[in-house]
Amino acid sequence: GGCHCGRVRYRVGSIFDAGYCHCSVCRRVHGTPVVAWIAVPEADFGLLDGAPRAYRSSSHGTRHRCDDCGTHLYYTDDRIPSGIGTRLVSVYLTTLDAPERVQPRLHQWCDDRLPWFDTRDHLPRADDGTLTHPDRRDVATDGDLERELRRLEDSHLRAEVRASPEAIRALIDRLLERT
């Protein structure tokens, strides 16, 4: 993986865990409502190119970012987690070369979660970078619902819906309950 400009590159040999962090420090440092990460045993993480800038963000933790493009790359903790036997490096999942190959498995610091942020919601989805104006984005449009329907792979579910927006919403709700 690496930063946006390519100056800093790293390697990951194994992944111990993956999740989302909702803590206020991660949110503030990244400017996001949640941060996705992977935990890598210290011996399985190494820099290949570049030297990230270190920022001591707490008495025990240091964050590392590219000094050129500003990409936050990873976090190191001086403490060894109990029952692990080695320090872990928390690599920010979206800096991996193929982040789609790793799925987070848990949420942490949920008590710190922003009350308006939920990872399972009915917000409109944009397939690309083109976003609807915020004033027109408060409810999902029929087009959004039709796009969701096309994503369904199970043909008998498609036949059951019959393209009614209410039926599509009900189907989406049922599918979300299964995940």
Tab-separated table of all heavy atoms in Angstrom, residues 38-88:
chain	number	residue	atom	x	y	z
A	38	ILE	N	-6.806	-1.875	9.434
A	38	ILE	CA	-6.405	-3.274	9.603
A	38	ILE	C	-5.316	-3.296	10.668
A	38	ILE	O	-4.516	-2.368	10.763
A	38	ILE	CB	-5.902	-3.936	8.294
A	38	ILE	CG1	-4.677	-3.214	7.734
A	38	ILE	CG2	-7.007	-4.020	7.269
A	38	ILE	CD1	-3.990	-3.934	6.597
A	39	ALA	N	-5.306	-4.326	11.482
A	39	ALA	CA	-4.261	-4.501	12.484
A	39	ALA	C	-3.274	-5.528	11.952
A	39	ALA	O	-3.654	-6.632	11.567
A	39	ALA	CB	-4.859	-4.957	13.809
A	40	VAL	N	-2.015	-5.131	11.929
A	40	VAL	CA	-0.939	-5.964	11.377
A	40	VAL	C	0.091	-6.212	12.474
A	40	VAL	O	0.525	-5.259	13.129
A	40	VAL	CB	-0.270	-5.239	10.183
A	40	VAL	CG1	0.876	-6.046	9.621
A	40	VAL	CG2	-1.294	-4.905	9.112
A	41	PRO	N	0.510	-7.450	12.711
A	41	PRO	CA	1.598	-7.677	13.660
A	41	PRO	C	2.818	-6.843	13.245
A	41	PRO	O	3.145	-6.752	12.066
A	41	PRO	CB	1.882	-9.175	13.544
A	41	PRO	CG	0.588	-9.758	13.052
A	41	PRO	CD	0.019	-8.704	12.136
A	42	GLU	N	3.459	-6.228	14.213
A	42	GLU	CA	4.577	-5.316	13.943
A	42	GLU	C	5.633	-5.933	13.016
A	42	GLU	O	6.138	-5.270	12.120
A	42	GLU	CB	5.208	-4.896	15.280
A	42	GLU	CG	6.225	-3.795	15.186
A	42	GLU	CD	6.678	-3.359	16.564
A	42	GLU	OE1	7.003	-4.234	17.409
A	42	GLU	OE2	6.706	-2.150	16.808
A	43	ALA	N	5.942	-7.211	13.197
A	43	ALA	CA	6.953	-7.875	12.370
A	43	ALA	C	6.505	-8.056	10.920
A	43	ALA	O	7.327	-8.273	10.040
A	43	ALA	CB	7.319	-9.232	12.969
A	44	ASP	N	5.186	-7.975	10.672
A	44	ASP	CA	4.647	-8.158	9.322
A	44	ASP	C	4.367	-6.844	8.600
A	44	ASP	O	3.701	-6.828	7.571
A	44	ASP	CB	3.352	-8.980	9.371
A	44	ASP	CG	3.631	-10.445	9.659
A	44	ASP	OD1	4.798	-10.867	9.528
A	44	ASP	OD2	2.677	-11.156	10.015
A	45	PHE	N	4.854	-5.747	9.151
A	45	PHE	CA	4.686	-4.438	8.521
A	45	PHE	C	6.061	-3.840	8.266
A	45	PHE	O	6.952	-3.926	9.105
A	45	PHE	CB	3.891	-3.490	9.424
A	45	PHE	CG	3.766	-2.113	8.861
A	45	PHE	CD1	2.774	-1.819	7.936
A	45	PHE	CD2	4.643	-1.112	9.226
A	45	PHE	CE1	2.657	-0.547	7.392
A	45	PHE	CE2	4.537	0.169	8.691
A	45	PHE	CZ	3.545	0.446	7.771
A	46	GLY	N	6.236	-3.246	7.095
A	46	GLY	CA	7.513	-2.603	6.812
A	46	GLY	C	7.381	-1.519	5.759
A	46	GLY	O	6.546	-1.614	4.853
A	47	LEU	N	8.197	-0.506	5.893
A	47	LEU	CA	8.241	0.559	4.895
A	47	LEU	C	9.111	0.113	3.725
A	47	LEU	O	10.176	-0.478	3.926
A	47	LEU	CB	8.804	1.841	5.501
A	47	LEU	CG	7.893	2.557	6.484
A	47	LEU	CD1	8.632	3.693	7.171
A	47	LEU	CD2	6.654	3.069	5.767
A	48	LEU	N	8.664	0.387	2.524
A	48	LEU	CA	9.416	0.065	1.313
A	48	LEU	C	10.095	1.303	0.740
A	48	LEU	O	11.226	1.237	0.277
A	48	LEU	CB	8.482	-0.541	0.260
A	48	LEU	CG	7.768	-1.825	0.662
A	48	LEU	CD1	6.755	-2.230	-0.408
A	48	LEU	CD2	8.782	-2.927	0.907
A	49	ASP	N	9.386	2.420	0.753
A	49	ASP	CA	9.911	3.686	0.227
A	49	ASP	C	9.405	4.835	1.073
A	49	ASP	O	8.287	4.794	1.575
A	49	ASP	CB	9.442	3.927	-1.220
A	49	ASP	CG	10.102	3.002	-2.215
A	49	ASP	OD1	11.338	2.914	-2.201
A	49	ASP	OD2	9.363	2.371	-2.988
A	50	GLY	N	10.227	5.863	1.195
A	50	GLY	CA	9.815	7.078	1.876
A	50	GLY	C	9.863	6.961	3.380
A	50	GLY	O	10.029	5.883	3.940
A	51	ALA	N	9.748	8.115	4.002
A	51	ALA	CA	9.745	8.188	5.465
A	51	ALA	C	8.585	9.068	5.886
A	51	ALA	O	8.631	10.284	5.729
A	51	ALA	CB	11.061	8.765	5.976
A	52	PRO	N	7.513	8.456	6.409
A	52	PRO	CA	6.366	9.265	6.815
A	52	PRO	C	6.692	10.151	8.016
A	52	PRO	O	7.606	9.853	8.788
A	52	PRO	CB	5.298	8.238	7.167
A	52	PRO	CG	6.013	6.971	7.396
A	52	PRO	CD	7.303	7.040	6.648
A	53	ARG	N	5.940	11.218	8.136
A	53	ARG	CA	6.084	12.114	9.277
A	53	ARG	C	5.302	11.531	10.452
A	53	ARG	O	4.173	11.074	10.294
A	53	ARG	CB	5.550	13.486	8.930
A	53	ARG	CG	5.683	14.463	10.060
A	53	ARG	CD	5.161	15.812	9.650
A	53	ARG	NE	5.725	16.774	10.560
A	53	ARG	CZ	6.013	17.997	10.253
A	53	ARG	NH1	5.797	18.441	9.035
A	53	ARG	NH2	6.512	18.809	11.142
A	54	ALA	N	5.909	11.536	11.632
A	54	ALA	CA	5.279	10.985	12.832
A	54	ALA	C	4.682	12.103	13.668
A	54	ALA	O	5.266	13.176	13.811
A	54	ALA	CB	6.310	10.214	13.656
A	55	TYR	N	3.502	11.847	14.196
A	55	TYR	CA	2.811	12.793	15.068
A	55	TYR	C	2.336	12.036	16.299
A	55	TYR	O	1.552	11.093	16.189
A	55	TYR	CB	1.625	13.419	14.324
A	55	TYR	CG	0.648	14.144	15.207
A	55	TYR	CD1	1.005	15.313	15.867
A	55	TYR	CD2	-0.637	13.649	15.402
A	55	TYR	CE1	0.107	15.975	16.690
A	55	TYR	CE2	-1.549	14.301	16.215
A	55	TYR	CZ	-1.170	15.463	16.860
A	55	TYR	OH	-2.054	16.108	17.666
A	56	ARG	N	2.817	12.429	17.450
A	56	ARG	CA	2.431	11.793	18.712
A	56	ARG	C	1.048	12.311	19.097
A	56	ARG	O	0.899	13.452	19.492
A	56	ARG	CB	3.472	12.126	19.774
A	56	ARG	CG	3.363	11.332	21.024
A	56	ARG	CD	3.892	9.959	20.803
A	56	ARG	NE	3.990	9.268	22.075
A	56	ARG	CZ	4.294	8.025	22.190
A	56	ARG	NH1	4.567	7.324	21.109
A	56	ARG	NH2	4.359	7.464	23.343
A	57	SER	N	0.027	11.477	18.942
A	57	SER	CA	-1.349	11.923	19.168
A	57	SER	C	-1.873	11.594	20.568
A	57	SER	O	-2.950	12.045	20.935
A	57	SER	CB	-2.277	11.330	18.112
A	57	SER	OG	-2.248	9.927	18.152
A	58	SER	N	-1.117	10.815	21.315
A	58	SER	CA	-1.495	10.499	22.704
A	58	SER	C	-0.239	10.060	23.446
A	58	SER	O	0.841	9.974	22.851
A	58	SER	CB	-2.549	9.389	22.733
A	58	SER	OG	-1.988	8.162	22.326
A	59	SER	N	-0.389	9.754	24.713
A	59	SER	CA	0.773	9.334	25.496
A	59	SER	C	1.343	8.006	25.029
A	59	SER	O	2.489	7.681	25.313
A	59	SER	CB	0.393	9.238	26.976
A	59	SER	OG	-0.609	8.257	27.148
A	60	HIS	N	0.567	7.230	24.275
A	60	HIS	CA	1.013	5.901	23.854
A	60	HIS	C	0.966	5.691	22.344
A	60	HIS	O	1.446	4.674	21.855
A	60	HIS	CB	0.169	4.826	24.538
A	60	HIS	CG	-1.298	5.028	24.322
A	60	HIS	ND1	-1.949	4.631	23.190
A	60	HIS	CD2	-2.223	5.639	25.096
A	60	HIS	CE1	-3.220	4.978	23.273
A	60	HIS	NE2	-3.413	5.590	24.418
A	61	GLY	N	0.381	6.628	21.593
A	61	GLY	CA	0.179	6.391	20.166
A	61	GLY	C	0.800	7.435	19.258
A	61	GLY	O	0.863	8.620	19.595
A	62	THR	N	1.253	6.969	18.100
A	62	THR	CA	1.849	7.839	17.091
A	62	THR	C	1.193	7.567	15.757
A	62	THR	O	1.020	6.410	15.360
A	62	THR	CB	3.375	7.579	16.972
A	62	THR	OG1	3.966	7.741	18.261
A	62	THR	CG2	4.036	8.522	15.988
A	63	ARG	N	0.825	8.630	15.060
A	63	ARG	CA	0.211	8.541	13.728
A	63	ARG	C	1.262	8.918	12.699
A	63	ARG	O	2.081	9.796	12.936
A	63	ARG	CB	-1.005	9.451	13.655
A	63	ARG	CG	-2.080	8.956	14.603
A	63	ARG	CD	-3.210	9.939	14.779
A	63	ARG	NE	-4.096	9.453	15.826
A	63	ARG	CZ	-5.059	8.570	15.645
A	63	ARG	NH1	-5.305	8.081	14.449
A	63	ARG	NH2	-5.802	8.166	16.647
A	64	HIS	N	1.191	8.252	11.551
A	64	HIS	CA	2.201	8.446	10.511
A	64	HIS	C	1.513	8.829	9.207
A	64	HIS	O	0.575	8.155	8.776
A	64	HIS	CB	3.003	7.150	10.330
A	64	HIS	CG	3.605	6.668	11.619
A	64	HIS	ND1	4.883	6.973	11.982
A	64	HIS	CD2	3.086	5.922	12.626
A	64	HIS	CE1	5.142	6.423	13.164
A	64	HIS	NE2	4.058	5.785	13.571
A	65	ARG	N	1.993	9.901	8.581
A	65	ARG	CA	1.405	10.382	7.329
A	65	ARG	C	2.488	10.822	6.367
A	65	ARG	O	3.613	11.124	6.764
A	65	ARG	CB	0.442	11.529	7.589
A	65	ARG	CG	1.132	12.787	8.073
A	65	ARG	CD	0.153	13.943	8.147
A	65	ARG	NE	0.772	15.130	8.697
A	65	ARG	CZ	1.485	15.980	7.993
A	65	ARG	NH1	1.703	15.790	6.719
A	65	ARG	NH2	2.020	17.032	8.585
A	66	CYS	N	2.138	10.880	5.081
A	66	CYS	CA	3.055	11.378	4.064
A	66	CYS	C	3.173	12.888	4.225
A	66	CYS	O	2.162	13.592	4.296
A	66	CYS	CB	2.543	11.041	2.664
A	66	CYS	SG	3.549	11.777	1.343
A	67	ASP	N	4.384	13.366	4.270
A	67	ASP	CA	4.617	14.804	4.430
A	67	ASP	C	4.341	15.577	3.141
A	67	ASP	O	4.145	16.778	3.180
A	67	ASP	CB	6.060	15.033	4.886
A	67	ASP	CG	6.179	16.204	5.845
A	67	ASP	OD1	5.141	16.678	6.350
A	67	ASP	OD2	7.315	16.638	6.089
A	68	ASP	N	4.318	14.881	2.007
A	68	ASP	CA	4.061	15.564	0.734
A	68	ASP	C	2.569	15.704	0.448
A	68	ASP	O	2.073	16.801	0.222
A	68	ASP	CB	4.725	14.823	-0.435
A	68	ASP	CG	6.234	15.008	-0.449
A	68	ASP	OD1	6.745	15.891	0.271
A	68	ASP	OD2	6.900	14.250	-1.168
A	69	CYS	N	1.825	14.604	0.435
A	69	CYS	CA	0.403	14.657	0.053
A	69	CYS	C	-0.544	14.661	1.245
A	69	CYS	O	-1.733	14.919	1.085
A	69	CYS	CB	0.047	13.527	-0.903
A	69	CYS	SG	0.122	11.871	-0.173
A	70	GLY	N	-0.050	14.356	2.442
A	70	GLY	CA	-0.870	14.399	3.643
A	70	GLY	C	-1.642	13.136	3.963
A	70	GLY	O	-2.367	13.095	4.957
A	71	THR	N	-1.505	12.087	3.158
A	71	THR	CA	-2.231	10.843	3.415
A	71	THR	C	-1.842	10.264	4.770
A	71	THR	O	-0.668	10.052	5.049
A	71	THR	CB	-1.936	9.808	2.315
A	71	THR	OG1	-2.301	10.337	1.066
A	71	THR	CG2	-2.681	8.505	2.576
A	72	HIS	N	-2.841	9.987	5.604
A	72	HIS	CA	-2.607	9.298	6.870
A	72	HIS	C	-2.498	7.811	6.557
A	72	HIS	O	-3.402	7.224	5.972
A	72	HIS	CB	-3.747	9.574	7.843
A	72	HIS	CG	-3.782	10.997	8.277
A	72	HIS	ND1	-3.161	11.433	9.416
A	72	HIS	CD2	-4.321	12.088	7.694
A	72	HIS	CE1	-3.336	12.732	9.534
A	72	HIS	NE2	-4.034	13.158	8.500
A	73	LEU	N	-1.384	7.212	6.946
A	73	LEU	CA	-1.080	5.844	6.538
A	73	LEU	C	-1.284	4.801	7.632
A	73	LEU	O	-1.876	3.752	7.378
A	73	LEU	CB	0.362	5.764	6.033
A	73	LEU	CG	0.636	6.606	4.788
A	73	LEU	CD1	2.113	6.880	4.638
A	73	LEU	CD2	0.080	5.895	3.579
A	74	TYR	N	-0.765	5.056	8.822
A	74	TYR	CA	-0.860	4.060	9.874
A	74	TYR	C	-0.647	4.682	11.247
A	74	TYR	O	-0.226	5.829	11.376
A	74	TYR	CB	0.113	2.899	9.658
A	74	TYR	CG	1.569	3.284	9.612
A	74	TYR	CD1	2.377	3.173	10.743
A	74	TYR	CD2	2.160	3.724	8.439
A	74	TYR	CE1	3.721	3.520	10.708
A	74	TYR	CE2	3.501	4.059	8.379
A	74	TYR	CZ	4.273	3.964	9.528
A	74	TYR	OH	5.593	4.305	9.490
A	75	TYR	N	-0.964	3.888	12.251
A	75	TYR	CA	-0.879	4.289	13.657
A	75	TYR	C	-0.097	3.216	14.401
A	75	TYR	O	-0.326	2.019	14.193
A	75	TYR	CB	-2.301	4.402	14.205
A	75	TYR	CG	-2.424	4.523	15.698
A	75	TYR	CD1	-2.348	5.764	16.318
A	75	TYR	CD2	-2.648	3.403	16.499
A	75	TYR	CE1	-2.490	5.890	17.694
A	75	TYR	CE2	-2.790	3.513	17.871
A	75	TYR	CZ	-2.714	4.761	18.461
A	75	TYR	OH	-2.854	4.884	19.819
A	76	THR	N	0.821	3.631	15.248
A	76	THR	CA	1.560	2.689	16.084
A	76	THR	C	1.259	2.987	17.547
A	76	THR	O	1.080	4.134	17.938
A	76	THR	CB	3.089	2.770	15.831
A	76	THR	OG1	3.525	4.124	15.978
A	76	THR	CG2	3.428	2.269	14.437
A	77	ASP	N	1.211	1.921	18.330
A	77	ASP	CA	0.884	2.014	19.750
A	77	ASP	C	2.040	1.404	20.527
A	77	ASP	O	2.503	0.304	20.192
A	77	ASP	CB	-0.418	1.243	20.012
A	77	ASP	CG	-1.033	1.565	21.355
A	77	ASP	OD1	-0.291	1.698	22.352
A	77	ASP	OD2	-2.260	1.667	21.415
A	78	ASP	N	2.522	2.119	21.540
A	78	ASP	CA	3.637	1.623	22.354
A	78	ASP	C	3.249	0.400	23.175
A	78	ASP	O	4.115	-0.376	23.576
A	78	ASP	CB	4.126	2.709	23.317
A	78	ASP	CG	4.657	3.939	22.599
A	78	ASP	OD1	5.037	3.828	21.414
A	78	ASP	OD2	4.676	5.019	23.231
A	79	ARG	N	1.968	0.223	23.420
A	79	ARG	CA	1.500	-0.863	24.274
A	79	ARG	C	1.353	-2.163	23.476
A	79	ARG	O	1.060	-2.133	22.292
A	79	ARG	CB	0.161	-0.494	24.897
A	79	ARG	CG	0.208	0.809	25.687
A	79	ARG	CD	-1.159	1.290	26.055
A	79	ARG	NE	-1.936	1.522	24.838
A	79	ARG	CZ	-3.186	1.947	24.834
A	79	ARG	NH1	-3.811	2.171	25.959
A	79	ARG	NH2	-3.827	2.140	23.702
A	80	ILE	N	1.528	-3.264	24.160
A	80	ILE	CA	1.276	-4.576	23.561
A	80	ILE	C	-0.102	-5.023	24.039
A	80	ILE	O	-0.336	-5.112	25.250
A	80	ILE	CB	2.351	-5.597	23.971
A	80	ILE	CG1	3.718	-5.164	23.437
A	80	ILE	CG2	1.985	-6.990	23.465
A	80	ILE	CD1	4.874	-6.044	23.890
A	81	PRO	N	-1.036	-5.281	23.119
A	81	PRO	CA	-2.380	-5.711	23.538
A	81	PRO	C	-2.319	-7.018	24.316
A	81	PRO	O	-1.561	-7.921	23.976
A	81	PRO	CB	-3.129	-5.914	22.217
A	81	PRO	CG	-2.334	-5.189	21.185
A	81	PRO	CD	-0.914	-5.191	21.664
A	82	SER	N	-3.122	-7.111	25.372
A	82	SER	CA	-3.119	-8.328	26.187
A	82	SER	C	-3.578	-9.523	25.356
A	82	SER	O	-4.476	-9.418	24.534
A	82	SER	CB	-4.024	-8.156	27.408
A	82	SER	OG	-5.353	-7.946	26.998
A	83	GLY	N	-2.894	-10.620	25.530
A	83	GLY	CA	-3.233	-11.849	24.833
A	83	GLY	C	-2.707	-11.938	23.412
A	83	GLY	O	-2.912	-12.943	22.743
A	84	ILE	N	-2.015	-10.918	22.929
A	84	ILE	CA	-1.511	-10.912	21.552
A	84	ILE	C	-0.020	-11.264	21.519
A	84	ILE	O	0.426	-12.021	20.683
A	84	ILE	CB	-1.735	-9.541	20.868
A	84	ILE	CG1	-3.195	-9.123	20.930
A	84	ILE	CG2	-1.236	-9.556	19.430
A	84	ILE	CD1	-4.142	-10.056	20.231
A	85	GLY	N	0.751	-10.697	22.436
A	85	GLY	CA	2.173	-11.011	22.517
A	85	GLY	C	3.053	-10.172	21.603
A	85	GLY	O	4.268	-10.335	21.598
A	86	THR	N	2.478	-9.302	20.821
A	86	THR	CA	3.262	-8.422	19.956
A	86	THR	C	2.500	-7.127	19.738
A	86	THR	O	1.271	-7.099	19.856
A	86	THR	CB	3.562	-9.082	18.587
A	86	THR	OG1	4.399	-8.213	17.824
A	86	THR	CG2	2.284	-9.343	17.803
A	87	ARG	N	3.234	-6.086	19.443
A	87	ARG	CA	2.573	-4.824	19.097
A	87	ARG	C	1.912	-4.966	17.733
A	87	ARG	O	2.369	-5.739	16.890
A	87	ARG	CB	3.580	-3.681	19.065
A	87	ARG	CG	3.883	-3.128	20.426
A	87	ARG	CD	4.621	-1.805	20.311
A	87	ARG	NE	6.055	-1.973	20.275
A	87	ARG	CZ	6.811	-2.145	21.349
A	87	ARG	NH1	6.271	-2.168	22.541
A	87	ARG	NH2	8.109	-2.292	21.240
A	88	LEU	N	0.845	-4.207	17.546
A	88	LEU	CA	0.142	-4.185	16.270
A	88	LEU	C	0.271	-2.808	15.636
A	88	LEU	O	0.295	-1.797	16.336
A	88	LEU	CB	-1.340	-4.519	16.473
A	88	LEU	CG	-1.648	-5.898	17.036
A	88	LEU	CD1	-3.123	-6.017	17.388
A	88	LEU	CD2	-1.240	-6.984	16.049
